Every structure is written in C-alpha cells, then in structure tokens.
C-alpha cells in the first residue's frame, strides 16, 4: 500500500474545506451530496466548489499506477516528494497520455476535455480534507487544460487513512456504469493490492465483476509480468516498466490458456512454449501470430532463423540444483527450456536498454539493432510455421470434404432404394448426376496424381477408377 506525507497546503485546505462544508450545511436550499460505498454501506458526503489551484493529484491513484515508472528520474522524485511541482506535473502528464505509451497524447482524454467543455461537469469528483484527489484526477487535468478555475467535489471524512482512500477509489472505479476504465495493467495491480490486504479471492472477483477463474488468471499474468521485468534488468540499470506490457491483454490471456494446456502434459514443455510466446509478445506480434507457437516451434522454426547474437551458447547447467534450507536437490531445466529462457532474456534486456533514457546513445542503438534483428528472425519463424499450419489445414479440409461427399453418397444409396421401391426414380436425372460425379472424380484424380508422389491404396483406386 502506497503511503505519503501530507502536502504543504494541507492545513490551509483543511480549514478552507471545513468552512465551505459548514456554509453548505447552513445555507439556504438543498445541500448537494455524493454517495460512495464504504464498508459495504452507502456513505453520503457533502459537495463543495473547490479551486483547482489548491488541489493535488493523487500519487497513489490506480489510474496511472503502472505508468509511474515510465521516466525513472521523475518516478524517483515522485517517490521522494509527490507534492513538488515537478512531481505533480509528471502526474499530470501521465493522466493525459496513452496508457500504452505515455509519450503520446490519449484520444480518450481529448474526448473527456471536449465533453467537459460542451456540457460541463456532470458528476462531482472526490477529495480528502487536505485537497488530495481521490476520484476525478483526469477531470481536473482536463479542466486545467480548459483554463477553468474550480471543480465540484465531495469531501471524504477527515479521519480517512490512505487505506480508506484507496478502497473508496476502487469502489468508485468498479461501478459498472463508470465512464472510463483503468488500463489493463492498472486493473491487475488493483487486484493484487486487494489480495495483499488480506481479502479473499472470491470477494475480490465479485468486486471486479469477474469469475474466480478469471481472477486467478489475472494474478498469474501479473506474476509473469513482474518476473519479466526482473529478468529484463541490465548491468546498466535499465529495465522494462509495467507500461511496456500494456496493450497485450488478449495475448497474455491466451498465453495463460496455452500454458495450462501444456502443463497438463509436461511442466518443462509448458515453460518452453511460454518463453517463446513471451519473446514474440515483447516483439509486438499479434495474438493471431503468437498462437502459432507450439511445442515444435523452437526446434523446427525459431532455432533456424535466430540472429547469431541470440543463438549463442547456453551456459552449462549444474547436474542438480540444491534447494536452500533443505538437504535435497532437483534436476535442472532441460536444454530446450534454458535456450528458450536465454532467448527471452536477451530480448527483454534489449527492449529495456532501447527505451532507457539514462544509458548511452551507442548502447540504445545497439539494443535497437538487436530488437530489429530478433523481430526479423521471429517473423521468419512465424511465417514458416504459418505456411506449414496452412498446408496442414488444407490437407485436413480436403479429407473432411471427401468425408462429407462420402456421407452424401451413403444418403443417396438410401434415397435410391426408396425411389426404386416406389418406382419414382428419375432415371435421366440420376444418370446425369452420376456423370457429374465421374467428372469430379477425374479432376480430383488428376490433381492428386500431380502432387502426391507415393500414392496409397485410396489414391491407386481413384486413379484406376478415373481411367476406366
């Protein structure tokens, strides 16, 4: 759970907000409130008009939790003091940017700003007595861009802790009618945080409106992502961030389903295929491509197309791996798993170095060349796998169509018997249909004769029947 000191204007805001709330209670007319869920029951809090200049972006918001590490220098400043102007400006930048690439503006933010400009603020935001935004961070960013001076906000009780604030923020975000969802990785982080707080998986799944099996899948995916970040770390201190894994939601879901399928047969096979798929995902291949990666992909395709720097010698594995604290050891991973992991590690580290701002230009350029080379090799391997898969599907389709034709002929036998029994057979039509069948068989025989060098018994019959 992220916790921070109070902002510098906290005392002034507490006093100002208390006065505004008192004025709202004592004023004429109905008092505006906003309802939030708190400990399973509704909590009605007063709404006031708050100057934008006195509000602070929430450094713990789940909206941009995954993106906080995008710029390591500014991220460190944010951790040290989130209330500095440069820290708040960094949060502002992340709020208005694409979750998948914080260096680019987010079209959804532009739509929000346009809506606020045309129809105004429809729902109040939510703040603490100290002026920290709990809900409405992005709206404040949009209103500031529109040069507005204030925003309507509900005010949480003064006694609320950071844990309370995070819980309320999540409850608001997880409402089914919420206009703008968290990004995929931020949603995974929110699930993880709830579990670390000691909540049961069933309760978390219900709150996030997903099945229990989906919750378990999401937790597995985030675990894999964190492992990949750890493995991407280089000697120069470069490493991938959570943002680098945004935009791959469906790819990761299929990765999990594929892993479970192979794990039922072999843990090592599941690990090998997982590593190859992660390498392809990090090289930005779509799900339609990565699903071609199966148990034979590394040996039959990728090993033949890898650039030399990726296909380097794998360090020799120890005979056995000792388990710390126990007097037992286990067998090391197979050569295939170690090779797959080595390829993935090299790609992860190259991707990390390519985008690192603090490493030298030469290092980034070398990493970029490695990524380009790896992508070319992966594309060639996937193209080869796709051609073989397409050929396999064509072969299966041909046999399936012949099976359908065989079933149709079997049905014709029954129809013929009934027509003969009732003396209702159209002999001319039947004869014409037989000639069409013969013509089709002749064409099939000619095509098969050209492409199949070693005919089986069925082919020999077909060729003989067409010659007769």
């Amino acid at each position: 759970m992220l916790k921070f000191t109070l902002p510098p204007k906290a005392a002034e805001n507490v006093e100002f907000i208390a006065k505004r709330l008192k004025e709202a209670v004592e004023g004429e007319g109905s008092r505006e409130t906003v309802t939030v869920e708190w400990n399973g029951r509704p909590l009605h809090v007063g709404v006031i008009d708050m100057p934008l200049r006195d509000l602070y972006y929430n450094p713990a918001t789940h909206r941009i939790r995954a993106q906080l590490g995008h710029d390591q220098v500014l991220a460190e400043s944010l951790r040290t003091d989130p209330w500095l102007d440069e820290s708040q400006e960094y949060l502002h930048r992340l709020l208005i940017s694409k979750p998948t690439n914080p260096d680019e503006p987010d079209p959804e933010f532009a739509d929000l700003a346009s809506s606020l400009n045309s129809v105004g603020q429809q729902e109040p935001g939510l703040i603490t007595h100290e002026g920290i935004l709990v809900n409405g961070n992005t709206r404040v960013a949009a209103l500031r861009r529109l040069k507005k001076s204030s925003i309507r906000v509900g005010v949480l009780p003064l006694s609320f802790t950071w844990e309370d604030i995070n819980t309320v923020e999540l409850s608001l975000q997880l409402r089914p009618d919420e206009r703008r969802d968290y990004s995929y990785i931020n949603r995974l982080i929110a699930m993880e945080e709830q579990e670390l707080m000691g909540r049961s998986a069933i309760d978390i799944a219900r709150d996030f409106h997903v099945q229990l099996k989906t919750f378990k899948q999401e937790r597995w995916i985030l675990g894999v992502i964190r492992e990949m970040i750890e493995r991407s770390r280089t000697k120069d201190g470069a490493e991938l961030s959570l943002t680098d894994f945004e935009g791959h939601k469906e790819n990761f879901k299929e990765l999990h389903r594929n892993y479970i399928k192979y794990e039922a047969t072999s843990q090592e096979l599941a690990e090998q295929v997982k590593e190859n798929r992660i390498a392809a995902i990090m090289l930005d291949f779509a799900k339609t491509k990565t699903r071609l990666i199966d148990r034979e992909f590394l040996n039959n395709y990728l090993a033949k197309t890898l650039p030399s720097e990726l296909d380097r010698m794998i360090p020799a594995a120890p005979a056995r791996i000792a388990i710390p604290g126990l007097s037992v050891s286990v067998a090391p991973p197979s050569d295939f798993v170690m090779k797959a992991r080595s390829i993935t590690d090299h790609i992860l580290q190259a991707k990390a170095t390519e985008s690192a701002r603090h490493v030298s230009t030469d290092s980034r350029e070398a990493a970029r060349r490695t990524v380009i080379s790896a992508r070319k090799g992966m594309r060639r391997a996937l193209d080869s796998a796709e051609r073989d898969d397409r050929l396999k599907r064509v072969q299966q389709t041909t046999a399936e169509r012949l099976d359908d034709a065989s079933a149709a002929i079997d049905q014709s036998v029954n129809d013929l018997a009934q027509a003969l029994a009732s003396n209702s057979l159209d002999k001319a039509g039947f004869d014409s249909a037989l000639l069409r069948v013969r013509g089709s068989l002749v064409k099939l025989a000619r095509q098969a004769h050209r492409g199949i060098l070693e005919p089986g018994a069925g082919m020999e019959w077909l060729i003989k029947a067409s010659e007769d």
Side-chain angles (χ1 to χ4, degrees), residues 268 315-334 337-338 341:
E268 288 203 336
R320 303 285 292 179
I321 298 177
I323 299 178
L326 299 176
S327 58
V328 295
S329 60
V330 295
S334 67
V337 173
M338 292 186 65
R341 284 181 63 88

Side-chain angles (χ1 to χ4, degrees), residues 32-38 41-47 123-126 135 154 156 168 171-172 175:
E32 183 182 7
T33 62
V34 63
T35 303
V36 298
E37 184 178 337
W38 173 242
R41 60 182 177 83
L43 175 65
H44 308 289
V45 300
V47 174
E123 295 291 333
L126 196 65
N135 187 42
L156 291 175
V168 169
S171 71
L172 288 167
R175 285 178 178 176

